[in-house]
């Protein structure tokens, strides 16, 4: 019973819900949408998803607003990105309309799992696509499954909005310079697990990866984008190997709305000594402010938050984006999709 769920203490994890929705691509076209109550799938032992990593996904959140309505944040942007990811690893792209329809269906069918307004929790939507065809030689599949599952997740900041520390380690790269970094594919995550684990063991929340070619510029921050505030400007890495984060894109717009200049450009490691704020950003946290960045190879420590607290720009951006997602403030950019 959902009445028994303690929404505010839910982790970011899997909670079984009532339904998931599925659609199979076969003979060059997408078939009928299937509503399923099963938590498992039955696939071929030689499926390309299992052998050659033909798997990609998305991550989106739905919220119960102040007015009781359910809103999905920037669904169309995720629909565009999943197509780009599909092209990146030779999978059949899910049409935007089908993507949006299935995500909305999955939310509607599991409406009782959308956490109440004020709980800080949300319904996480996880669309994923896998290659189904059996292949032993390396080649893309001709059949695919697109599936949307949902899971209620608790608030990201359980102990309140606060800083964490991250580190730079040059012994790991997340992706190759012209590789799959800009696509949201499972393989990138497998490739980052060891680095993430190492950082956690040392007490850091994430690794700030450097660009994989020259190791000179800041790149991706664990499984999130990175931005900093320098001389009052919002600066974020321009890189071929980072995933274009919808949250980062939204924060840039909100920063501009607040009269803050935005620069997408190479950021050198040295510049970290001149920034007044830094944060990781993504759907899970919106902004996860950074207190200190330790370069483990040079021994240099960049103390970002001199007073140990999240900075004013990050706090303002975080509050603004949350208010829009929750319907507390006007959605002037048309970012929310209502689920009716
Ligand atoms: C999903 C993801 C992000 C964040 O993207 P959002 O659209 O903001 O959720 C950033 N980096 C990586 C590697 C990701 O997979």
């Amino acid at each position: 019973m959902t009445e028994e769920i303690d929404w505010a203490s839910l982790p970011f994890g899997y909670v079984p819900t009532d339904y998931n929705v599925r659609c199979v691509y076969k003979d060059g076209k997408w078939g009928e949408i299937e509503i399923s109550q099963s938590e498992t799938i039955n696939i071929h032992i030689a499926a390309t998803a299992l052998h050659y990593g033909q798997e990609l996904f998305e991550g989106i959140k739905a919220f119960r607003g102040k007015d009781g309505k359910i809103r999905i944040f920037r669904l169309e942007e995720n629909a565009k990105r999943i197509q780009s990811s599909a092209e990146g690893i030779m999978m059949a792209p899910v049409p935007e309309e089908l993507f949006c329809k299935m995500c909305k269906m999955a939310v509607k069918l599991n409406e009782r799992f959308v956490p109440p307004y004020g709980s800080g929790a949300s319904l996480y939507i996880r669309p994923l696509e896998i290659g189904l065809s059996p292949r032993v030689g390396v080649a893309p599949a001709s059949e695919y499954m697109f599936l949307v599952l949902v899971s209620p997740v608790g608030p990201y900041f359980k102990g309140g909005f606060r800083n964490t520390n991250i580190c730079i380690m040059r012994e790991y790269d997340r992706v190759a310079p012209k590789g799959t970094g800009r696509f949201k594919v499972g393989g990138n995550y497998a490739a980052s697990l060891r680095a993430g684990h190492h950082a956690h063991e040392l007490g850091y929340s994430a690794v700030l990866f450097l660009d994989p070619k020259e190791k000179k510029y800041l790149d991706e921050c664990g499984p999130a984008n990175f931005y900093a505030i320098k001389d009052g400007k919002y600066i974020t890495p321009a890189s071929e190997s980072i995933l274009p984060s919808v949250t980062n894109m939204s924060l840039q717009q909100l920063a501009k709305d607040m009269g803050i200049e935005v620069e997408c450009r190479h950021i050198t490691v040295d510049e970290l000594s001149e920034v007044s704020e830094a944060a990781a950003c993504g759907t899970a946290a919106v902004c996860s402010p950074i207190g200190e960045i330790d370069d483990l190879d040079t021994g240099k420590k960049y103390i970002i938050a001199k007073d140990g607290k999240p900075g004013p720009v990050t706090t303002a951006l975080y509050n603004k984006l949350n208010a829009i997602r929750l319907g507390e403030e006007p959605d002037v950019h048309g970012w929310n999709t209502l689920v009716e």
Side-chain angles (χ1 to χ4, degrees):
M1 294 303 284
T2 47
E3 293 82 69
E4 287 162 17
I5 298 180
D6 179 3
W7 305 103
S9 36
L10 278 178
F12 187 79
Y14 178 77
V15 173
T17 57
D18 295 331
Y19 303 99
N20 56 80
V21 288
R22 305 161 178 211
C23 189
V24 169
Y25 179 90
K26 198 176 171 177
D27 301 325
K29 57 180 190 298
W30 290 96
E32 296 291 311
I33 298 170
E34 183 207 341
I35 296 171
S36 174
Q37 285 185 284
S38 170
E39 289 177 87
T40 62
I41 49 176
N42 194 2
I43 65 171
H44 197 284
I45 55 173
T48 62
L50 302 178
H51 297 254
Y52 301 123
Q54 270 200 313
E55 189 275 349
L56 57 82
F57 64 98
E58 272 302 330
I60 315 166
K61 278 180 172 178
F63 301 85
R64 176 86 58 185
K66 200 175 180 183
D67 52 7
K69 292 182 180 154
I70 301 171
R71 289 171 174 77
I72 306 178
F73 188 70
R74 306 209 73 174
L75 185 58
E76 290 86 5
E77 281 305 324
N78 289 274
K80 283 184 208 153
R81 190 170 66 189
I82 201 173
Q83 295 195 347
S84 147
S85 297
E87 275 148 23
I89 58 167
M90 299 285 289
M91 295 174 70
V94 179
E96 186 169 334
E97 204 188 313
L98 180 67
F99 179 88
C100 294
K101 185 175 175 187
M102 286 175 65
C103 288
K104 283 192 259 182
M105 270 177 85
V107 173
K108 187 72 196 163
L109 287 163
N110 296 292
E111 193 172 348
R112 68 188 187 98
F113 292 96
V114 181
Y117 172 72
S119 63
S122 57
L123 187 71
Y124 185 70
I125 309 169
R126 170 53 63 84
L128 71 146
E129 184 179 349
I130 53 173
L132 297 179
S133 316
R135 296 278 187 267
V136 172
V138 179
S142 54
E143 291 181 17
Y144 294 89
M145 180 187 283
F146 176 58
L147 189 154
V148 183
L149 64 92
V150 298
S151 180
V153 296
Y156 186 88
F157 295 100
K158 297 218 165 40
F161 188 54
R162 57 178 184 85
N163 292 333
T164 64
N165 296 342
I166 62 170
C167 66
I168 294 171
M169 287 195 269
R170 287 169 190 72
E171 63 183 295
Y172 302 104
D173 288 313
R174 187 183 74 96
V175 290
K178 299 244 179 225
T180 55
R182 60 193 193 279
F183 309 123
K184 204 167 179 79
V185 300
N188 292 346
Y189 277 73
S192 72
L193 289 176
R194 179 153 291 283
H197 180 73
H198 193 172
H200 294 157
E201 272 184 339
L202 298 173
Y204 298 100
S205 63
V207 180
L208 179 53
F209 291 103
L210 300 185
D211 80 274
K213 191 172 178 194
E214 298 184 70
K215 302 261 188 184
K216 240 169 99 179
Y217 308 110
L218 308 183
D219 213 71
E220 192 96 62
C221 188
N225 275 189
F226 176 88
Y227 74 81
I229 306 298
K230 184 188 170 193
D231 300 329
K233 290 181 193 161
Y234 180 109
I235 62 172
T236 189
S239 161
E240 275 188 314
S241 52
I242 68 174
L243 195 273
S245 152
V246 176
T247 310
N248 192 357
M249 188 193 298
S250 309
L251 294 172
Q252 289 175 38
Q253 181 62 55
L254 296 176
K256 287 181 198 160
D257 294 350
M258 293 174 186
I260 296 169
E261 219 176 293
V262 172
E263 286 179 354
C264 274
R265 59 165 175 85
H266 286 338
I267 303 172
T268 60
V269 178
D270 293 344
E271 273 192 87
L272 288 174
S273 55
E274 296 156 35
V275 309
S276 57
E277 298 182 33
C281 61
T283 294
V286 180
C287 309
S288 178
I290 295 162
E292 180 178 320
I293 304 174
D294 294 350
D295 187 330
L296 302 183
D297 301 304
T298 63
K300 181 135 177 73
K301 287 179 187 290
Y302 300 91
I303 314 292
I304 311 291
K306 312 279 184 292
D307 63 356
K309 294 197 216 94
V313 178
T314 291
T315 306
L317 289 171
Y318 173 81
N319 289 336
K320 185 82 181 173
L321 198 147
N322 269 320
I324 294 170
R325 298 198 299 189
L326 293 168
E328 294 168 349
E329 284 199 29
D331 179 20
V332 294
H333 297 291
W335 287 345
N336 294 318
T337 299
L338 286 176
V339 179
E340 289 164 309

